Amino acid sequence: MNNRLYGNLIFELSHPGRRGCSLPRNRYGSQPQLPASLLRSEDAQLPECDELTVVRHYTNLSNNNFGVNNGFYPLGSCTMKYNPIINEEIAAMPQFTGIHPLQPEATCQGALQVYYETQKALAAITGLEEFTLNPFAGAHGELTGLMVIRSYHQSRGDLKRTKVIVPDSAHGTNPASAAVCGLEIVEVKSKADGTVDVDDLRGLLDDTIAAMMMTNPNTLGLFERNIPEIQEMVHACGGLMYYDGANLNPMLGECRPGDMGFDVMHINLHKTFSTPHGGGGPGDGPVGVRKGLEQFLPVPKVAKDGDTYHIVSDSSDIHVGEFFGNYAVILRAYTYILTLGKEHLRMVGPLATLNANYIKESLKDLYLLPIDSVCKHEFVFDGLIDKSTGVTTMDVAKRLLDYGYHAPTIYFPLLFHESLMIEPTENESKQTIDAFIDVMRRIAQEAKEQPDTVKNAPLTTPIGRADDVLAAKNPILTYRQLAK
Ligand SMILES: *Cc1c(COP(=O)(O)O)cnc(C)c1O
């Protein structure tokens, strides 16, 4: 990296009169004069740079970004995994990017086929009847799924069902989506082992319950073992079961939500089925339903008639967005599913689970494991076991940057004070995982022997430890031109 230039804004590299391109001479004569009120009184303050300065500036900036292609990125609850380059190539094909969403069906049969087959593949993978790919994110999928559930109850004239049961360990989007859908949230407690407390649930069930939302594996990375009993209880009181399948990795090849008795679910294509999604997007949150609920899924959807694909726009009156969801994300998921194939999709769950358990077992003598049981694709430590050093989860996360690793998810879930949530994903090699374990052990050692090093980390990054509170409360996001 060019340290001399690092930290400069492109404006600060500007030299009056310098150009990176030349525009052709105006060959068309002067244009009619714009009204004076629309004209600038002075020139726009734009940076004036040569081409190479611009290229180097942005390349250096991009090198300061940590991505899954730079190194290990064990961010729990987010599934930051390898996104094969072939997905990007397919998603960038002009045959797809050049399609207009309003163009006649007969001229985009291939695109509709991809959409249709993705709907079908997700149904097969999850054991549900039908999928919509329209929602743009996991949270949007939750809202869509709850709208389906609300429509179902309304269609039966069962209007008193206005409550949704959400476990206290749920992702924050669950209660948020229920609230946006106009439903009341009832919290069910977790037991000491981290799974839903069935006794507490029993006391909450009555004929005002529209649905119960469950995340499986739950936010602690644990498989909810009591699903058979829970789904029976909720169904017996007339409610539906909603499956938050944002993180479906550990289930692939092992079990299917449809077989467990769930009625409605969403999947995050941008977690389980690749697509880089740092910085809040892009995503797609397909929603699937069991047989009997298809008519409540939003439109448009794609159907097949003989060999022809066509768009259905009138099978329900639920709309959750214009057109067909995030088509490029769907295309990446489709490519991912086809390149892995049935045989290799089956290996995703077991490998994701093995990798997470291997890290957990290799570190639990130094990091506090509040719930010591077999996990699925991720697990949560509650900071270092030795609290006497004063080294916190934040310090460990910052120190990892010095060793070239992205931090795990920290201070989430909220059930513990020093949460450190690790998800290796199924893609990583044993060598990568072993190297990460070594570094985590070294940091625990440093916490004892030289705690100040850890508390002041990162020491090797271009910017040291930022003041998080100041950055959140008083962010400076624009550049103010200094008076010359
Ligand atoms: C990521 C996640 C969500 C939300 O997905 P978005 O695409 O970020 O809206 C919901 N539930 C769980 C369990 C998640 O991990």
Side-chain angles (χ1 to χ4, degrees), residues 96 99-101 103-119 133 300-304 308-312 324 327 330-331 334:
F96 291 116
I99 300 174
H100 193 281
Q103 104 185 30
E105 286 170 12
T107 65
C108 52
Q109 283 290 302
L112 296 180
Q113 179 181 353
V114 167
Y115 201 89
Y116 178 83
E117 288 182 359
T118 307
Q119 291 174 170
L133 313 182
K301 63 181 183 185
V302 176
K304 191 177 179 187
T308 316
Y309 299 93
H310 58 97
I311 298 167
V312 177
F324 291 95
Y327 190 76
I330 295 163
L331 204 45
Y334 179 75

Side-chain angles (χ1 to χ4, degrees), residues 119-120 123 128-132 287-290 294 297 301:
Q119 291 174 170
K120 288 287 169 206
L128 289 166
E129 181 67 15
E130 196 172 310
F131 264 83
T132 173
V287 169
V289 296
R290 71 158 163 76
E294 310 92 298
L297 281 176
K301 63 181 183 185

Side-chain angles (χ1 to χ4, degrees), residues 77 137-140 142 171 173-174 215 244 246-247 266 268 270-271:
S77 189
H140 196 200
E142 291 168 26
H171 198 275
T173 50
N174 286 193
T215 305
D244 180 335
N247 306 292
H266 83 269
N268 281 18
H270 48 294
K271 289 179 183 170

Side-chain angles (χ1 to χ4, degrees), residues 191 193 195-198 201 214 223-233 241:
K191 287 183 297 184
D193 72 359
T195 62
V196 168
D197 184 336
V198 177
L201 176 65
M214 275 187 94
F223 193 92
E224 290 280 358
R225 286 198 196 81
N226 295 318
I227 285 173
E229 191 183 351
I230 291 173
Q231 67 90 13
E232 216 173 283
M233 285 162 58
M241 288 295 290

Side-chain angles (χ1 to χ4, degrees), residues 442-465:
R442 194 179 310 171
I443 293 173
Q445 189 74 22
E446 286 176 347
K448 276 204 185 77
E449 291 167 2
Q450 33 174 331
D452 283 343
T453 306
V454 188
K455 285 181 195 169
N456 290 317
L459 305 171
T460 59
T461 50
I463 292 178
R465 197 174 292 208

